[in-house]
Short mmCIF file of all heavy atoms in Angstrom, two decimals:
data_model
loop_
_atom_site.label_atom_id
_atom_site.label_comp_id
_atom_site.label_asym_id
_atom_site.label_seq_id
_atom_site.Cartn_x
_atom_site.Cartn_y
_atom_site.Cartn_z
N MET A 293 -20.26 17.50 10.30
CA MET A 293 -21.51 17.04 9.74
C MET A 293 -22.55 16.97 10.86
O MET A 293 -22.29 16.37 11.90
CB MET A 293 -21.34 15.64 9.15
CG MET A 293 -20.45 15.56 7.93
SD MET A 293 -21.08 16.53 6.61
CE MET A 293 -21.55 15.28 5.48
N PRO A 294 -23.69 17.54 10.63
CA PRO A 294 -24.73 17.46 11.65
C PRO A 294 -25.32 16.06 11.71
O PRO A 294 -25.42 15.37 10.70
CB PRO A 294 -25.77 18.48 11.19
CG PRO A 294 -25.54 18.63 9.73
CD PRO A 294 -24.09 18.36 9.50
N SER A 295 -25.69 15.68 12.90
CA SER A 295 -26.33 14.37 13.06
C SER A 295 -27.77 14.46 12.56
O SER A 295 -28.32 15.55 12.35
CB SER A 295 -26.31 13.94 14.52
OG SER A 295 -27.17 14.79 15.28
N ALA A 296 -28.41 13.32 12.41
CA ALA A 296 -29.81 13.29 11.97
C ALA A 296 -30.69 14.02 12.99
O ALA A 296 -31.63 14.73 12.61
CB ALA A 296 -30.27 11.84 11.81
N MET A 297 -30.37 13.86 14.27
CA MET A 297 -31.17 14.53 15.31
C MET A 297 -31.01 16.05 15.22
O MET A 297 -31.99 16.79 15.37
CB MET A 297 -30.76 14.03 16.69
CG MET A 297 -31.21 12.60 16.95
SD MET A 297 -30.65 11.92 18.54
CE MET A 297 -31.13 13.17 19.69
N GLU A 298 -29.80 16.52 14.93
CA GLU A 298 -29.58 17.96 14.81
C GLU A 298 -30.34 18.53 13.61
O GLU A 298 -30.94 19.61 13.70
CB GLU A 298 -28.09 18.27 14.66
CG GLU A 298 -27.28 18.03 15.92
CD GLU A 298 -25.79 18.18 15.69
OE1 GLU A 298 -25.31 17.87 14.58
OE2 GLU A 298 -25.12 18.60 16.64
N VAL A 299 -30.32 17.78 12.51
CA VAL A 299 -31.05 18.23 11.32
C VAL A 299 -32.54 18.27 11.60
O VAL A 299 -33.24 19.22 11.23
CB VAL A 299 -30.74 17.32 10.11
CG1 VAL A 299 -31.66 17.63 8.93
CG2 VAL A 299 -29.27 17.45 9.69
N GLU A 300 -33.02 17.26 12.30
CA GLU A 300 -34.44 17.21 12.62
C GLU A 300 -34.84 18.37 13.55
O GLU A 300 -35.88 19.00 13.37
CB GLU A 300 -34.78 15.88 13.29
CG GLU A 300 -36.28 15.67 13.48
CD GLU A 300 -36.60 14.28 14.03
OE1 GLU A 300 -35.85 13.33 13.74
OE2 GLU A 300 -37.59 14.19 14.76
N ALA A 301 -33.97 18.68 14.49
CA ALA A 301 -34.28 19.73 15.47
C ALA A 301 -34.11 21.13 14.89
O ALA A 301 -34.92 22.02 15.14
CB ALA A 301 -33.40 19.57 16.70
N ASN A 302 -33.05 21.32 14.11
CA ASN A 302 -32.69 22.67 13.65
C ASN A 302 -32.91 22.91 12.17
O ASN A 302 -32.68 24.01 11.69
CB ASN A 302 -31.22 22.96 13.98
CG ASN A 302 -30.93 22.81 15.45
OD1 ASN A 302 -31.75 23.13 16.30
ND2 ASN A 302 -29.75 22.31 15.77
N GLY A 303 -33.30 21.89 11.45
CA GLY A 303 -33.45 22.04 10.01
C GLY A 303 -32.12 21.88 9.31
O GLY A 303 -31.10 21.57 9.92
N LEU A 304 -32.14 22.16 8.02
CA LEU A 304 -30.95 21.93 7.21
C LEU A 304 -30.72 23.13 6.32
O LEU A 304 -31.60 23.55 5.56
CB LEU A 304 -31.14 20.67 6.35
CG LEU A 304 -30.01 20.26 5.45
CD1 LEU A 304 -28.79 19.87 6.27
CD2 LEU A 304 -30.43 19.08 4.58
N GLU A 305 -29.54 23.71 6.41
CA GLU A 305 -29.18 24.82 5.54
C GLU A 305 -28.40 24.21 4.37
O GLU A 305 -27.28 23.71 4.55
CB GLU A 305 -28.32 25.82 6.29
CG GLU A 305 -28.15 27.11 5.56
CD GLU A 305 -27.40 28.13 6.39
OE1 GLU A 305 -27.64 28.25 7.59
OE2 GLU A 305 -26.54 28.79 5.78
N LEU A 306 -29.02 24.20 3.20
CA LEU A 306 -28.44 23.49 2.06
C LEU A 306 -27.08 24.02 1.65
O LEU A 306 -26.18 23.23 1.32
CB LEU A 306 -29.40 23.55 0.86
CG LEU A 306 -30.68 22.73 1.01
CD1 LEU A 306 -31.54 22.88 -0.23
CD2 LEU A 306 -30.36 21.27 1.27
N GLY A 307 -26.89 25.30 1.68
CA GLY A 307 -25.59 25.87 1.30
C GLY A 307 -24.49 25.38 2.23
O GLY A 307 -23.42 24.96 1.78
N ALA A 308 -24.75 25.42 3.52
CA ALA A 308 -23.76 24.97 4.50
C ALA A 308 -23.53 23.46 4.37
O ALA A 308 -22.38 22.99 4.46
CB ALA A 308 -24.22 25.31 5.92
N MET A 309 -24.61 22.72 4.14
CA MET A 309 -24.47 21.27 3.99
C MET A 309 -23.67 20.92 2.75
O MET A 309 -22.79 20.05 2.79
CB MET A 309 -25.85 20.60 3.93
CG MET A 309 -25.76 19.10 3.78
SD MET A 309 -24.82 18.28 5.08
CE MET A 309 -26.01 18.21 6.36
N ASN A 310 -23.91 21.60 1.63
CA ASN A 310 -23.14 21.37 0.42
C ASN A 310 -21.66 21.65 0.64
O ASN A 310 -20.80 20.92 0.17
CB ASN A 310 -23.67 22.20 -0.74
CG ASN A 310 -24.89 21.59 -1.38
OD1 ASN A 310 -25.17 20.41 -1.20
ND2 ASN A 310 -25.63 22.39 -2.12
N LYS A 311 -21.37 22.73 1.38
CA LYS A 311 -19.99 23.07 1.68
C LYS A 311 -19.34 21.96 2.50
O LYS A 311 -18.22 21.53 2.22
CB LYS A 311 -19.93 24.40 2.43
CG LYS A 311 -18.53 24.85 2.76
CD LYS A 311 -18.55 26.21 3.46
CE LYS A 311 -17.13 26.66 3.71
NZ LYS A 311 -16.75 26.62 5.09
N LEU A 312 -20.04 21.48 3.51
CA LEU A 312 -19.51 20.40 4.34
C LEU A 312 -19.28 19.13 3.52
O LEU A 312 -18.25 18.46 3.67
CB LEU A 312 -20.46 20.08 5.50
CG LEU A 312 -20.51 21.06 6.65
CD1 LEU A 312 -21.63 20.69 7.62
CD2 LEU A 312 -19.17 21.10 7.37
N LEU A 313 -20.23 18.81 2.66
CA LEU A 313 -20.09 17.61 1.83
C LEU A 313 -18.91 17.72 0.87
O LEU A 313 -18.15 16.76 0.68
CB LEU A 313 -21.39 17.33 1.06
CG LEU A 313 -22.57 16.87 1.92
CD1 LEU A 313 -23.84 16.84 1.08
CD2 LEU A 313 -22.30 15.53 2.55
N LEU A 314 -18.74 18.89 0.26
CA LEU A 314 -17.60 19.09 -0.64
C LEU A 314 -16.27 18.98 0.11
O LEU A 314 -15.30 18.41 -0.39
CB LEU A 314 -17.71 20.42 -1.36
CG LEU A 314 -18.77 20.49 -2.45
CD1 LEU A 314 -18.91 21.92 -2.98
CD2 LEU A 314 -18.45 19.54 -3.58
N GLU A 315 -16.23 19.52 1.33
CA GLU A 315 -15.02 19.41 2.14
C GLU A 315 -14.72 17.95 2.47
O GLU A 315 -13.58 17.51 2.41
CB GLU A 315 -15.16 20.23 3.43
CG GLU A 315 -15.09 21.72 3.21
CD GLU A 315 -15.42 22.53 4.46
OE1 GLU A 315 -15.79 21.93 5.51
OE2 GLU A 315 -15.31 23.76 4.39
N LYS A 316 -15.77 17.20 2.80
CA LYS A 316 -15.59 15.79 3.12
C LYS A 316 -15.13 15.02 1.89
O LYS A 316 -14.24 14.16 1.97
CB LYS A 316 -16.89 15.20 3.66
CG LYS A 316 -16.80 13.76 4.11
CD LYS A 316 -15.71 13.52 5.13
CE LYS A 316 -16.09 13.89 6.51
NZ LYS A 316 -15.07 13.48 7.51
N ILE A 317 -15.69 15.31 0.72
CA ILE A 317 -15.28 14.66 -0.52
C ILE A 317 -13.81 14.95 -0.80
O ILE A 317 -13.04 14.05 -1.16
CB ILE A 317 -16.17 15.09 -1.70
CG1 ILE A 317 -17.57 14.49 -1.55
CG2 ILE A 317 -15.55 14.70 -3.04
CD1 ILE A 317 -18.59 15.07 -2.50
N GLU A 318 -13.41 16.19 -0.62
CA GLU A 318 -12.00 16.56 -0.84
C GLU A 318 -11.10 15.80 0.13
O GLU A 318 -10.06 15.26 -0.26
CB GLU A 318 -11.81 18.06 -0.68
CG GLU A 318 -10.37 18.49 -0.91
CD GLU A 318 -10.17 19.98 -0.73
OE1 GLU A 318 -11.06 20.69 -0.25
OE2 GLU A 318 -9.06 20.45 -1.06
N GLU A 319 -11.49 15.76 1.39
CA GLU A 319 -10.72 15.05 2.41
C GLU A 319 -10.56 13.57 2.04
O GLU A 319 -9.46 13.01 2.11
CB GLU A 319 -11.42 15.19 3.76
CG GLU A 319 -10.78 14.45 4.89
CD GLU A 319 -11.64 14.53 6.15
OE1 GLU A 319 -12.24 15.58 6.41
OE2 GLU A 319 -11.71 13.52 6.87
N LEU A 320 -11.65 12.94 1.66
CA LEU A 320 -11.61 11.52 1.30
C LEU A 320 -10.81 11.28 0.02
O LEU A 320 -10.10 10.28 -0.09
CB LEU A 320 -13.02 10.97 1.17
CG LEU A 320 -13.81 10.90 2.49
CD1 LEU A 320 -15.26 10.53 2.23
CD2 LEU A 320 -13.17 9.93 3.45
N THR A 321 -10.91 12.21 -0.93
CA THR A 321 -10.14 12.09 -2.16
C THR A 321 -8.65 12.16 -1.86
O THR A 321 -7.86 11.35 -2.37
CB THR A 321 -10.54 13.19 -3.17
OG1 THR A 321 -11.93 13.05 -3.47
CG2 THR A 321 -9.72 13.09 -4.46
N LEU A 322 -8.24 13.10 -1.03
CA LEU A 322 -6.84 13.21 -0.65
C LEU A 322 -6.37 11.97 0.09
O LEU A 322 -5.24 11.49 -0.12
CB LEU A 322 -6.61 14.47 0.20
CG LEU A 322 -6.80 15.79 -0.54
CD1 LEU A 322 -6.73 16.96 0.44
CD2 LEU A 322 -5.77 15.95 -1.65
N TYR A 323 -7.23 11.43 0.93
CA TYR A 323 -6.89 10.20 1.66
C TYR A 323 -6.69 9.04 0.68
O TYR A 323 -5.71 8.29 0.80
CB TYR A 323 -8.00 9.87 2.66
CG TYR A 323 -7.77 8.58 3.40
CD1 TYR A 323 -6.87 8.52 4.46
CD2 TYR A 323 -8.43 7.42 3.04
CE1 TYR A 323 -6.64 7.34 5.14
CE2 TYR A 323 -8.22 6.23 3.71
CZ TYR A 323 -7.33 6.19 4.76
OH TYR A 323 -7.11 5.01 5.42
N ILE A 324 -7.57 8.91 -0.29
CA ILE A 324 -7.45 7.84 -1.29
C ILE A 324 -6.16 8.00 -2.08
O ILE A 324 -5.44 7.02 -2.32
CB ILE A 324 -8.68 7.83 -2.23
CG1 ILE A 324 -9.90 7.32 -1.49
CG2 ILE A 324 -8.41 6.98 -3.47
CD1 ILE A 324 -11.20 7.50 -2.24
N LEU A 325 -5.84 9.22 -2.49
CA LEU A 325 -4.61 9.45 -3.24
C LEU A 325 -3.38 9.07 -2.42
O LEU A 325 -2.44 8.47 -2.94
CB LEU A 325 -4.53 10.91 -3.69
CG LEU A 325 -5.57 11.33 -4.74
CD1 LEU A 325 -5.50 12.84 -4.97
CD2 LEU A 325 -5.37 10.57 -6.03
N GLU A 326 -3.39 9.41 -1.14
CA GLU A 326 -2.27 9.04 -0.26
C GLU A 326 -2.17 7.52 -0.11
O GLU A 326 -1.08 6.97 -0.12
CB GLU A 326 -2.44 9.71 1.10
CG GLU A 326 -1.29 9.44 2.05
CD GLU A 326 0.06 9.96 1.56
OE1 GLU A 326 0.11 10.96 0.83
OE2 GLU A 326 1.09 9.34 1.93
N GLN A 327 -3.32 6.86 0.01
CA GLN A 327 -3.31 5.41 0.13
C GLN A 327 -2.78 4.76 -1.15
O GLN A 327 -2.03 3.78 -1.09
CB GLN A 327 -4.72 4.88 0.44
CG GLN A 327 -5.23 5.27 1.81
CD GLN A 327 -4.35 4.76 2.92
OE1 GLN A 327 -4.08 3.57 3.00
NE2 GLN A 327 -3.90 5.65 3.77
N GLU A 328 -3.15 5.30 -2.30
CA GLU A 328 -2.65 4.77 -3.57
C GLU A 328 -1.15 4.96 -3.68
O GLU A 328 -0.44 4.08 -4.16
CB GLU A 328 -3.36 5.44 -4.74
CG GLU A 328 -4.81 4.99 -4.90
CD GLU A 328 -5.55 5.75 -5.99
OE1 GLU A 328 -5.06 6.82 -6.45
OE2 GLU A 328 -6.64 5.28 -6.37
N LYS A 329 -0.65 6.11 -3.22
CA LYS A 329 0.79 6.36 -3.22
C LYS A 329 1.51 5.35 -2.33
O LYS A 329 2.52 4.77 -2.74
CB LYS A 329 1.06 7.79 -2.73
CG LYS A 329 2.51 8.16 -2.68
CD LYS A 329 2.68 9.58 -2.15
CE LYS A 329 4.13 9.94 -1.96
NZ LYS A 329 4.27 11.28 -1.38
N GLN A 330 0.97 5.12 -1.14
CA GLN A 330 1.57 4.14 -0.23
C GLN A 330 1.54 2.74 -0.83
O GLN A 330 2.50 1.98 -0.71
CB GLN A 330 0.82 4.15 1.11
CG GLN A 330 1.04 5.38 1.94
CD GLN A 330 2.49 5.55 2.35
OE1 GLN A 330 3.18 4.59 2.67
NE2 GLN A 330 2.96 6.78 2.31
N GLN A 331 0.46 2.41 -1.50
CA GLN A 331 0.34 1.10 -2.13
C GLN A 331 1.39 0.92 -3.23
O GLN A 331 2.00 -0.14 -3.35
CB GLN A 331 -1.06 0.91 -2.70
CG GLN A 331 -1.31 -0.47 -3.26
CD GLN A 331 -2.72 -0.62 -3.81
OE1 GLN A 331 -3.35 0.35 -4.22
NE2 GLN A 331 -3.21 -1.83 -3.82
N ARG A 332 1.60 1.97 -4.03
CA ARG A 332 2.63 1.90 -5.08
C ARG A 332 4.01 1.70 -4.47
O ARG A 332 4.80 0.89 -4.95
CB ARG A 332 2.61 3.17 -5.94
CG ARG A 332 1.53 3.19 -7.00
CD ARG A 332 1.74 4.31 -8.00
NE ARG A 332 1.84 5.64 -7.39
CZ ARG A 332 0.82 6.42 -7.08
NH1 ARG A 332 -0.41 6.02 -7.31
NH2 ARG A 332 1.02 7.60 -6.54
N LEU A 333 4.30 2.44 -3.39
CA LEU A 333 5.59 2.30 -2.74
C LEU A 333 5.77 0.90 -2.17
O LEU A 333 6.84 0.29 -2.30
CB LEU A 333 5.74 3.34 -1.63
CG LEU A 333 5.87 4.79 -2.07
CD1 LEU A 333 5.83 5.73 -0.87
CD2 LEU A 333 7.16 5.00 -2.86
N GLN A 334 4.74 0.38 -1.55
CA GLN A 334 4.81 -0.98 -0.99
C GLN A 334 5.00 -2.01 -2.10
O GLN A 334 5.73 -2.98 -1.92
CB GLN A 334 3.56 -1.28 -0.18
CG GLN A 334 3.51 -0.54 1.14
CD GLN A 334 2.22 -0.77 1.89
OE1 GLN A 334 1.22 -1.24 1.35
NE2 GLN A 334 2.23 -0.41 3.17
N LYS A 335 4.37 -1.79 -3.22
CA LYS A 335 4.52 -2.71 -4.36
C LYS A 335 5.95 -2.69 -4.86
O LYS A 335 6.53 -3.74 -5.15
CB LYS A 335 3.55 -2.32 -5.48
CG LYS A 335 3.56 -3.27 -6.65
CD LYS A 335 2.54 -2.85 -7.69
CE LYS A 335 2.56 -3.81 -8.86
NZ LYS A 335 1.59 -3.43 -9.89
N GLU A 336 6.55 -1.50 -4.94
CA GLU A 336 7.94 -1.40 -5.38
C GLU A 336 8.88 -2.11 -4.40
O GLU A 336 9.79 -2.83 -4.82
CB GLU A 336 8.34 0.07 -5.51
CG GLU A 336 7.70 0.78 -6.68
CD GLU A 336 8.00 2.27 -6.70
OE1 GLU A 336 8.85 2.73 -5.91
OE2 GLU A 336 7.35 2.98 -7.49
N VAL A 337 8.65 -1.91 -3.11
CA VAL A 337 9.47 -2.57 -2.09
C VAL A 337 9.32 -4.09 -2.20
O VAL A 337 10.30 -4.83 -2.14
CB VAL A 337 9.10 -2.07 -0.67
CG1 VAL A 337 9.71 -2.94 0.41
CG2 VAL A 337 9.51 -0.62 -0.49
N LEU A 338 8.09 -4.54 -2.37
CA LEU A 338 7.83 -5.98 -2.49
C LEU A 338 8.52 -6.56 -3.72
O LEU A 338 9.11 -7.64 -3.65
CB LEU A 338 6.32 -6.23 -2.54
CG LEU A 338 5.86 -7.67 -2.55
CD1 LEU A 338 6.34 -8.40 -1.29
CD2 LEU A 338 4.35 -7.74 -2.64
N GLN A 339 8.45 -5.85 -4.83
CA GLN A 339 9.12 -6.33 -6.05
C GLN A 339 10.62 -6.40 -5.85
O GLN A 339 11.27 -7.35 -6.29
CB GLN A 339 8.78 -5.42 -7.23
CG GLN A 339 7.36 -5.58 -7.72
CD GLN A 339 6.98 -4.54 -8.77
OE1 GLN A 339 7.58 -3.48 -8.89
NE2 GLN A 339 5.94 -4.85 -9.54
N ASP A 340 11.19 -5.39 -5.18
CA ASP A 340 12.62 -5.38 -4.90
C ASP A 340 13.01 -6.56 -4.01
O ASP A 340 14.00 -7.26 -4.28
CB ASP A 340 13.02 -4.06 -4.24
CG ASP A 340 14.51 -3.96 -4.01
OD1 ASP A 340 15.28 -4.14 -4.99
OD2 ASP A 340 14.92 -3.71 -2.86
N LYS A 341 12.22 -6.80 -2.99
CA LYS A 341 12.50 -7.93 -2.09
C LYS A 341 12.36 -9.26 -2.83
O LYS A 341 13.14 -10.18 -2.61
CB LYS A 341 11.59 -7.89 -0.88
CG LYS A 341 11.94 -6.76 0.09
CD LYS A 341 11.01 -6.74 1.28
CE LYS A 341 11.27 -5.53 2.12
NZ LYS A 341 12.25 -5.70 3.15
N ASP A 342 11.39 -9.34 -3.71
CA ASP A 342 11.20 -10.56 -4.50
C ASP A 342 12.42 -10.84 -5.38
O ASP A 342 12.89 -11.97 -5.46
CB ASP A 342 9.94 -10.44 -5.35
CG ASP A 342 9.53 -11.75 -6.00
OD1 ASP A 342 9.60 -12.79 -5.31
OD2 ASP A 342 9.13 -11.73 -7.18
N LEU A 343 12.96 -9.79 -6.01
CA LEU A 343 14.16 -9.95 -6.83
C LEU A 343 15.34 -10.41 -5.98
O LEU A 343 16.12 -11.27 -6.39
CB LEU A 343 14.49 -8.64 -7.54
CG LEU A 343 13.58 -8.23 -8.68
CD1 LEU A 343 13.96 -6.83 -9.21
CD2 LEU A 343 13.63 -9.24 -9.82
N LYS A 344 15.48 -9.83 -4.79
CA LYS A 344 16.58 -10.21 -3.90
C LYS A 344 16.44 -11.66 -3.45
O LYS A 344 17.42 -12.40 -3.40
CB LYS A 344 16.65 -9.27 -2.70
CG LYS A 344 17.15 -7.90 -3.06
CD LYS A 344 17.17 -6.97 -1.86
CE LYS A 344 17.66 -5.59 -2.28
NZ LYS A 344 17.63 -4.65 -1.17
N ILE A 345 15.23 -12.07 -3.15
CA ILE A 345 14.99 -13.46 -2.74
C ILE A 345 15.34 -14.41 -3.88
O ILE A 345 15.98 -15.45 -3.66
CB ILE A 345 13.53 -13.66 -2.27
CG1 ILE A 345 13.33 -12.98 -0.92
CG2 ILE A 345 13.17 -15.14 -2.19
CD1 ILE A 345 11.88 -12.91 -0.47
N LYS A 346 14.94 -14.07 -5.09
CA LYS A 346 15.26 -14.92 -6.24
C LYS A 346 16.77 -15.03 -6.44
O LYS A 346 17.29 -16.11 -6.70
CB LYS A 346 14.58 -14.38 -7.50
CG LYS A 346 13.09 -14.63 -7.52
CD LYS A 346 12.44 -14.05 -8.76
CE LYS A 346 10.94 -14.27 -8.71
NZ LYS A 346 10.25 -13.69 -9.86
N ALA A 347 17.47 -13.90 -6.29
CA ALA A 347 18.93 -13.92 -6.44
C ALA A 347 19.57 -14.77 -5.34
O ALA A 347 20.50 -15.55 -5.60
CB ALA A 347 19.48 -12.50 -6.40
N LEU A 348 19.08 -14.64 -4.11
CA LEU A 348 19.62 -15.44 -3.01
C LEU A 348 19.32 -16.92 -3.20
O LEU A 348 20.18 -17.78 -2.92
CB LEU A 348 19.05 -14.95 -1.67
CG LEU A 348 19.60 -13.61 -1.18
CD1 LEU A 348 18.80 -13.12 0.02
CD2 LEU A 348 21.08 -13.71 -0.84
N ASN A 349 18.14 -17.24 -3.68
CA ASN A 349 17.81 -18.65 -3.95
C ASN A 349 18.72 -19.23 -5.03
O ASN A 349 19.14 -20.38 -4.95
CB ASN A 349 16.34 -18.80 -4.35
CG ASN A 349 15.42 -18.79 -3.16
OD1 ASN A 349 15.82 -19.15 -2.05
ND2 ASN A 349 14.18 -18.38 -3.37
N LYS A 350 19.02 -18.41 -6.03
CA LYS A 350 19.90 -18.86 -7.10
C LYS A 350 21.31 -19.13 -6.55
O LYS A 350 21.92 -20.15 -6.87
CB LYS A 350 19.96 -17.77 -8.19
CG LYS A 350 20.52 -18.21 -9.50
CD LYS A 350 20.35 -17.09 -10.52
CE LYS A 350 20.79 -17.55 -11.89
NZ LYS A 350 20.62 -16.50 -12.89
N ARG A 351 21.78 -18.22 -5.69
CA ARG A 351 23.10 -18.43 -5.07
C ARG A 351 23.09 -19.67 -4.17
O ARG A 351 24.06 -20.44 -4.16
CB ARG A 351 23.49 -17.20 -4.25
CG ARG A 351 23.89 -16.01 -5.09
CD ARG A 351 24.25 -14.81 -4.26
NE ARG A 351 25.38 -15.11 -3.37
CZ ARG A 351 25.76 -14.30 -2.39
NH1 ARG A 351 25.12 -13.17 -2.17
NH2 ARG A 351 26.79 -14.62 -1.63
N LEU A 352 22.01 -19.85 -3.44
CA LEU A 352 21.90 -21.01 -2.56
C LEU A 352 21.92 -22.31 -3.37
O LEU A 352 22.62 -23.26 -3.00
CB LEU A 352 20.62 -20.93 -1.72
CG LEU A 352 20.34 -22.08 -0.77
CD1 LEU A 352 21.47 -22.22 0.25
CD2 LEU A 352 19.00 -21.89 -0.08
N ASP A 353 21.17 -22.33 -4.46
CA ASP A 353 21.17 -23.53 -5.32
C ASP A 353 22.57 -23.82 -5.84
O ASP A 353 23.01 -24.98 -5.86
CB ASP A 353 20.21 -23.34 -6.51
CG ASP A 353 18.74 -23.38 -6.09
OD1 ASP A 353 18.45 -23.87 -4.98
OD2 ASP A 353 17.90 -22.91 -6.88
N LYS A 354 23.28 -22.77 -6.24
CA LYS A 354 24.64 -22.95 -6.75
C LYS A 354 25.54 -23.51 -5.65
O LYS A 354 26.33 -24.45 -5.89
CB LYS A 354 25.18 -21.61 -7.25
CG LYS A 354 26.53 -21.69 -7.88
CD LYS A 354 26.97 -20.32 -8.40
CE LYS A 354 28.36 -20.40 -9.00
NZ LYS A 354 28.81 -19.10 -9.49
N GLN A 355 25.41 -22.97 -4.44
CA GLN A 355 26.23 -23.44 -3.33
C GLN A 355 25.90 -24.90 -2.98
O GLN A 355 26.79 -25.70 -2.68
CB GLN A 355 26.03 -22.55 -2.09
CG GLN A 355 26.58 -21.15 -2.25
CD GLN A 355 28.09 -21.12 -2.41
OE1 GLN A 355 28.79 -21.96 -1.87
NE2 GLN A 355 28.56 -20.16 -3.18
N GLU A 356 24.64 -25.24 -3.04
CA GLU A 356 24.23 -26.63 -2.75
C GLU A 356 24.79 -27.59 -3.80
O GLU A 356 25.23 -28.69 -3.46
CB GLU A 356 22.70 -26.73 -2.67
CG GLU A 356 22.13 -26.13 -1.40
CD GLU A 356 20.61 -26.12 -1.38
OE1 GLU A 356 19.96 -26.28 -2.45
OE2 GLU A 356 20.06 -25.95 -0.27
N ARG A 357 24.78 -27.17 -5.05
CA ARG A 357 25.35 -28.02 -6.10
C ARG A 357 26.85 -28.20 -5.91
O ARG A 357 27.38 -29.30 -6.07
CB ARG A 357 25.05 -27.44 -7.49
CG ARG A 357 23.60 -27.64 -7.94
CD ARG A 357 23.42 -27.32 -9.42
NE ARG A 357 23.84 -25.98 -9.79
CZ ARG A 357 23.08 -24.89 -9.72
NH1 ARG A 357 21.84 -24.98 -9.27
NH2 ARG A 357 23.55 -23.71 -10.08
N ARG A 358 27.53 -27.13 -5.51
CA ARG A 358 28.97 -27.23 -5.26
C ARG A 358 29.24 -28.16 -4.08
O ARG A 358 30.17 -28.98 -4.12
CB ARG A 358 29.56 -25.85 -4.99
CG ARG A 358 29.62 -24.97 -6.25
CD ARG A 358 30.12 -23.59 -5.96
NE ARG A 358 31.55 -23.66 -5.60
CZ ARG A 358 32.21 -22.64 -5.05
NH1 ARG A 358 31.59 -21.51 -4.78
NH2 ARG A 358 33.49 -22.77 -4.76
N LEU A 359 28.43 -28.03 -3.04
CA LEU A 359 28.59 -28.87 -1.87
C LEU A 359 28.34 -30.34 -2.23
O LEU A 359 29.10 -31.23 -1.81
CB LEU A 359 27.65 -28.44 -0.74
CG LEU A 359 27.72 -29.21 0.56
CD1 LEU A 359 29.11 -29.16 1.16
CD2 LEU A 359 26.70 -28.69 1.55
N ASP A 360 27.28 -30.59 -2.99
CA ASP A 360 26.98 -31.97 -3.43
C ASP A 360 28.15 -32.54 -4.24
O ASP A 360 28.51 -33.70 -4.08
CB ASP A 360 25.69 -32.00 -4.26
CG ASP A 360 24.45 -31.77 -3.41
OD1 ASP A 360 24.53 -31.88 -2.18
OD2 ASP A 360 23.40 -31.44 -4.01
N ALA A 361 28.74 -31.71 -5.10
CA ALA A 361 29.85 -32.17 -5.92
C ALA A 361 31.06 -32.50 -5.05
O ALA A 361 31.75 -33.50 -5.27
CB ALA A 361 30.21 -31.10 -6.95
N LEU A 362 31.30 -31.66 -4.03
CA LEU A 362 32.43 -31.93 -3.13
C LEU A 362 32.20 -33.18 -2.31
O LEU A 362 33.14 -33.95 -2.07
CB LEU A 362 32.65 -30.72 -2.20
CG LEU A 362 33.26 -29.47 -2.82
CD1 LEU A 362 33.23 -28.32 -1.84
CD2 LEU A 362 34.68 -29.75 -3.30
N GLU A 363 30.97 -33.38 -1.86
CA GLU A 363 30.66 -34.55 -1.06
C GLU A 363 30.74 -35.84 -1.90
O GLU A 363 31.01 -36.91 -1.38
CB GLU A 363 29.29 -34.42 -0.42
CG GLU A 363 29.26 -33.41 0.70
CD GLU A 363 27.86 -33.19 1.27
OE1 GLU A 363 26.87 -33.58 0.61
OE2 GLU A 363 27.77 -32.60 2.35
N ALA A 364 30.49 -35.71 -3.18
CA ALA A 364 30.51 -36.88 -4.07
C ALA A 364 31.94 -37.39 -4.29
O ALA A 364 32.14 -38.55 -4.60
CB ALA A 364 29.87 -36.55 -5.40
N HIS A 365 32.90 -36.52 -4.10
CA HIS A 365 34.31 -36.94 -4.33
C HIS A 365 34.85 -37.56 -3.12
O HIS A 365 35.13 -37.89 -2.26
CB HIS A 365 35.17 -35.73 -4.72
CG HIS A 365 34.90 -35.31 -6.12
ND1 HIS A 365 34.12 -34.22 -6.41
CD2 HIS A 365 35.29 -35.81 -7.32
CE1 HIS A 365 34.07 -34.05 -7.71
NE2 HIS A 365 34.77 -35.03 -8.29
#
């Protein structure tokens, strides 16, 4: 992309500028799609970890209840 100073000094060729802008739009679109893919993957990992934490908490609660019962005797 030409800087403002380059455009001022050399003018602007609209065809070339449109081509550059379309290339930049494509680049940014691909970047956004990749970021969305990464976000979906991270969400899946987070959900999986959340399920594992819930299962571990359930096991811990069960173990604590068993321990309390043993200590009560």
